[in-house]
Amino acid sequence: MLSILAEASSSLFFPPEQSTFAGEVDGLFDFIYYLSAFFFVAIVAVMVYFVLRYHRRQGHVEQASASHNEVLEITWSVIPSILVGFIFFFGFTKYLDMREPPEDAYEIVVTASQWTWDFKYPNGATSNELHIPVGQPVRFVLQATDVLHSFYIPAFRIKMDCVPQRYTSTWVIAKDITGEGATNETHTPYDLFCAEYCGKDHSRMITKVYVHNQADFDVWLEAAANYLEGIPPEQGGEMAFKKKGCAGCHSVTGDASAKFAGPPLNGQWGTPRNVIARGSSSPESVVMDENYVRESVREPNAKVVVGRNPVMPMFDPQRLKDEEITAIIAYLKSLK
Ligand code: CUA
């Protein structure tokens, strides 16, 4: 019955159902929704009828109200109990399914930080857009480096908090690929939101989910692991800049507005800027050179540009390799 309901209303409230969980989640949601709507209408209708039928009239003597009606009381206890039991049974068993990934699930480590997503794959590749294979269980191991975030993919109907100082996990089987060759209307990648208010740029903590068939996924994975190879450093640097989320906080078009948490980075190479060094209260001037960039990446709070908050996350070598910093430096030099 749940799946019939789900078919009937799959697009009424939600995006298309793109995981094996989605139909069941929607089915239960719709069941609760229509059940509530039915009882709302029924109760209000009876209430209105009683108001009209039994309102106080001139010359009409009140009757004593009935104190007890066994049949009625049993009915209004047993029927709701059955309905609530049904909701509990489906909710709880589905919840358990969603908590327990199959043992052979493909594992991706998800790191949430203000305000980017970082996905790490078993071969060492990283990305800030999520790529997964179709039709295969994928388990996400979630962590947060700073504050509470929440990993939410509406098309898959999965949502799980990313909590500092601990791991959480969730998993999914994607039903269909995105992009060329998708078997339904879903040619566009799915949205991935942060669903827990995590500070100023929470609303921009958005990325995309791409689902590939296995062969395409393997090709993508291989290229993602070695993405700096065989291309000019500034081009690789641009990719690293976007992949690692730098572009979320630093404009490269000179936009210095509060839309970007960090200062713009174009046309800055070799020029001085005023910074406040850690432990100091007075500004000093430093030139943007290779070592300044490296230090700003590895220890963002060592020198913070005057007028900016110390909000940049730290990029240790796990998160950003030395050759990626070198490539980013080449890219920054090229930005006019
Ligand atoms: Cu991260 Cu909201």
Side-chain angles (χ1 to χ4, degrees):
M1 181 173 77
L2 286 180
S3 60
I4 297 169
L5 276 173
E7 283 304 312
S9 62
S10 61
S11 58
L12 190 55
F13 297 106
F14 301 120
E17 297 163 349
Q18 292 301 343
S19 75
T20 51
F21 298 140
E24 290 160 347
V25 171
D26 291 5
L28 189 57
F29 176 90
D30 289 336
F31 177 75
I32 296 171
Y33 178 83
Y34 289 113
L35 188 70
S36 308
F38 170 79
F39 278 107
F40 173 76
V41 170
I43 290 169
V44 170
V46 171
M47 211 166 69
V48 169
Y49 171 75
F50 282 1
V51 165
L52 296 174
R53 176 78 180 74
Y54 296 112
H55 75 278
R56 189 170 177 182
R57 265 164 285 193
Q58 205 78 46
H60 195 87
V61 183
E62 287 169 34
Q63 294 172 6
S65 25
S67 71
H68 197 73
N69 186 325
E70 218 152 71
V71 175
L72 190 61
E73 284 168 21
I74 289 172
T75 308
W76 77 35
S77 302
V78 169
I79 292 177
S81 299
I82 292 170
L83 292 172
V84 171
F86 177 83
I87 292 169
F88 173 78
F89 177 78
F90 276 90
F92 189 62
T93 52
K94 288 302 140 205
Y95 173 78
L96 291 182
D97 289 349
M98 293 170 83
R99 294 298 304 141
E100 276 301 312
E103 271 180 15
D104 60 345
Y106 184 78
E107 212 162 84
I108 297 174
V109 176
V110 179
T111 306
S113 48
Q114 288 170 319
W115 288 278
T116 58
W117 294 101
D118 181 69
F119 305 102
K120 186 152 195 162
Y121 303 82
N123 74 343
T126 58
S127 66
N128 69 344
E129 292 181 313
L130 178 60
H131 293 255
I132 62 170
V134 71
Q136 185 183 330
V138 179
R139 176 170 183 251
F140 303 101
V141 178
L142 310 165
Q143 55 185 337
T145 59
D146 35 41
V147 299
L148 191 59
H149 302 268
S150 185
F151 175 81
Y152 179 35
I153 306 175
F156 292 164
R157 312 292 191 273
I158 57 168
K159 184 195 269 181
M160 182 52 69
D161 279 1
C162 309
V163 187
Q165 314 274 345
R166 81 166 65 155
Y167 295 101
T168 52
S169 78
T170 185
W171 72 284
V172 80
I173 298 174
K175 270 171 41 177
D176 194 9
I177 60 168
T178 54
E180 278 311 299
T183 52
N184 61 21
E185 76 277 20
T186 316
H187 291 275
T188 50
Y190 313 132
D191 290 318
L192 191 161
F193 298 119
C194 176
E196 189 71 57
Y197 182 70
C198 55
K200 180 176 137 307
D201 282 347
H202 158 71
S203 62
R204 298 179 69 216
M205 198 167 160
I206 297 172
T207 188
K208 293 287 179 193
V209 182
Y210 297 84
V211 184
H212 306 276
N213 62 43
Q214 190 67 51
D216 292 347
F217 180 72
D218 292 340
V219 169
W220 176 84
L221 195 62
E222 188 60 29
N226 306 310
Y227 75 103
L228 291 178
E229 273 172 29
I231 51 171
E234 64 255 36
Q235 201 181 323
E238 182 174 6
M239 288 167 74
F241 193 80
K242 289 177 180 157
K243 269 165 84 78
K244 299 298 170 168
C246 315
C249 294
H250 293 284
S251 111
V252 292
T253 56
D255 185 347
S257 71
K259 209 173 97 193
F260 292 94
L265 294 179
N266 57 310
Q268 301 290 306
W269 191 262
T271 64
R273 73 218 48 257
N274 287 330
V275 299
I276 306 229
R278 183 165 32 215
S280 156
S281 54
S282 50
E284 60 186 274
S285 177
V286 295
V287 168
M288 188 197 271
D289 60 9
E290 285 88 349
N291 282 315
Y292 171 76
V293 170
R294 187 187 157 79
E295 181 186 56
S296 298
V297 168
R298 291 281 189 242
E299 287 181 79
N301 294 344
K303 297 189 179 80
V304 176
V305 170
V306 169
R308 298 286 172 173
N309 294 318
V311 292
M312 176 159 157
M314 194 184 81
F315 288 83
D316 59 24
Q318 289 283 318
R319 243 178 125 182
L320 195 67
K321 291 182 242 159
D322 277 348
E323 53 264 41
E324 290 174 308
I325 298 182
T326 308
I328 287 173
I329 287 171
Y331 173 58
L332 294 181
K333 283 179 185 168
S334 75
L335 291 172
K336 295 292 173 265

